[in-house]
Amino acid sequence: MNLQKIKETVIAFAKKAWAYIKLARLELIILAALFIVDLVSKQIVASTMREGQVITLIPKFLNFRFVYNELAAFGSAFGLENLIGQTAIRVIFIIITFIALGIFCYFLYRNRGKSKMMRVSLAMIIAGALGNLVDRLFIGKVRDFVEIVFFGCDVPLLGESFAIFNVADAALVIGVILFLIYFIFLYKDTDKKEKDAVPDVEMYDSTQTAPEDRPAEPHAETDGFLEKQQPAPEDPADDASTAPAQPADNVPAAPTQPTGGAEEDA
């Protein structure tokens, strides 16, 4: 009996998962592609470059500089490494990443079939978080290699180059930017609109008459007033007495008596 229940549960879950995969192909493809590209690019760089080595791709703009990052994204831990140490920071970041992944995966599932921009942004955030999580779990630090140089200029607060990052960091930041743009400029409360569009319907039990079946009742101030102002129906007899007499068409007119001629004959 228990095996039968387990089998039914597994089948039901598989059906729901397959239905979700068919509905969420776009975000799942983006998530998987970014995750794979991140891990493959890290592995290629780690196997072909030594730590600290620099390969110039575009002079004074783009370099590959392979480094290990034990802090957060873009090599920053907001000064916490001086307070609690590297090991504690790693544990904290792993816990935070798992919590964030659970939250964003829930949002991604709840918003299936809705705005493409929101779904893509969530997929990019999840892919970036997963890519760096794998490095922290199995290596203990994150492999970074992309370096953007500001054409030899010293930019305030940034220096001569941007912080070294990887594909996961880029996906994470772009996903967060898209997510904020959607919620600030494009988000619409569809649930509220749907609720406002539905008319309020009073609850009634089965013994009461439905609102649409109830006879209309005259309003005390409007319908009654209109009834008083409405003229009474006219009586046909009154119409006949007040109507003007019409001349009969078939009655011959009486002959007129001569006046002047008769006196002359006399």
Side-chain angles (χ1 to χ4, degrees), residues 40-62:
V40 171
S41 62
K42 288 175 181 176
Q43 186 61 34
I44 292 175
V45 170
S47 60
T48 57
M49 297 178 65
R50 64 181 182 275
E51 185 178 0
Q53 182 181 353
V54 180
I55 298 177
T56 301
L57 300 179
I58 301 176
K60 296 184 178 182
F61 178 68
L62 182 61

Side-chain angles (χ1 to χ4, degrees), residues 14 39 50 56 77 150 165 204 232 235 260:
L39 293 183
R50 64 181 182 275
T56 301
F150 303 132
F165 59 95
Y204 55 92
D235 190 359

Side-chain angles (χ1 to χ4, degrees), residues 3-24:
L3 292 177
Q4 183 65 23
K5 288 184 178 180
I6 294 174
K7 182 179 179 180
E8 292 176 356
T9 303
V10 171
I11 293 175
F13 176 78
K15 289 181 178 179
K16 290 183 179 180
W18 179 246
Y20 173 72
I21 291 173
K22 291 191 295 182
L23 185 63

Side-chain angles (χ1 to χ4, degrees), residues 4 11 20 43 73-74 79-80 101 110 165 170 204-205 207 231 233 237-239 242 246 259:
Q4 183 65 23
I11 293 175
Y20 173 72
Q43 186 61 34
F74 304 106
L80 294 177
L101 282 173
R110 285 295 302 270
F165 59 95
Y204 55 92
D205 55 28
T207 60
D238 295 338
D239 294 342
T242 58
Q246 299 293 335
T259 57

Side-chain angles (χ1 to χ4, degrees), residues 58-63 147-163:
I58 301 176
K60 296 184 178 182
F61 178 68
L62 182 61
N63 300 330
E147 181 184 30
I148 296 178
V149 183
F150 303 132
F151 300 99
C153 300
D154 189 0
V155 179
L157 303 178
L158 294 177
E160 296 182 355
S161 64
F162 192 73

